[in-house]
């Protein structure tokens, strides 16, 4: 499944979509960047409530397929602009981390 297909099926709000055809290879949910760095894998979609620059840094470091910021956690404009400049697929959703995780798992 591609990132754009996932976004459509989950009714995500798109903030940055430089690579809509990127394949989603897995998923990871967590809010501690160091933990995510040690446990998530390349190609994962990361689901989090974090809303700072570290989200983009971790996504780039791990070459993640996308980041979904859940539970209406608001992202500052500078974070959205950083995602665009680093070519990170970035979305938001009002749904909980739990719900989004279950839905992503079901899609995979």
């Amino acid at each position: 499944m591609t990132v754009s297909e996932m976004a459509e099926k989950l009714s995500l709000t798109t903030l940055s979509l430089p690579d809509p055809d990127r394949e989603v290879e897995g998923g990871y949910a967590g809010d501690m960047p160091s933990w995510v760095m040690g446990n998530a894998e390349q190609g994962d979609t990361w689901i989090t409530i974090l809303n700072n620059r570290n989200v983009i840094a971790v996504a780039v470091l791990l070459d993640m397929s996308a980041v979904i910021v859940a539970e209406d956690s608001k992202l500052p404009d500078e974070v959205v602009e950083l995602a665009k400049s680093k070519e990170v697929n970035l979305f938001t959703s009002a749904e909980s981390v739990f719900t989004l995780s279950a839905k992503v798992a079901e899609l995979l």
Side-chain angles (χ1 to χ4, degrees), residues 26-41:
Y28 196 84
D31 298 319
M32 184 183 294
S34 60
W35 190 267
V36 174
M37 286 188 296
N39 293 285
E41 297 181 11

Side-chain angles (χ1 to χ4, degrees), residues 14-58:
T14 302
L15 300 179
S16 173
L17 189 57
D19 192 2
D21 296 324
R22 174 82 188 263
E23 288 293 318
V24 176
E25 299 174 27
Y28 196 84
D31 298 319
M32 184 183 294
S34 60
W35 190 267
V36 174
M37 286 188 296
N39 293 285
E41 297 181 11
Q42 179 179 347
D44 281 353
T45 289
W46 179 18
I47 304 166
T48 184
I49 60 168
L50 292 177
N51 60 359
N52 60 48
R53 300 171 62 90
N54 293 336
V55 172
I56 307 308
V58 171

Side-chain angles (χ1 to χ4, degrees), residues 33 46 48-61 67 69 74-83 85-86 88 90:
W46 179 18
T48 184
I49 60 168
L50 292 177
N51 60 359
N52 60 48
R53 300 171 62 90
N54 293 336
V55 172
I56 307 308
V58 171
V60 169
L61 180 69
V67 175
V69 178
K74 302 298 180 208
L75 287 155
D77 291 340
E78 70 177 30
V79 175
V80 175
E81 291 306 313
L82 183 59
S85 73
K86 297 293 184 182
V88 172
L90 179 63

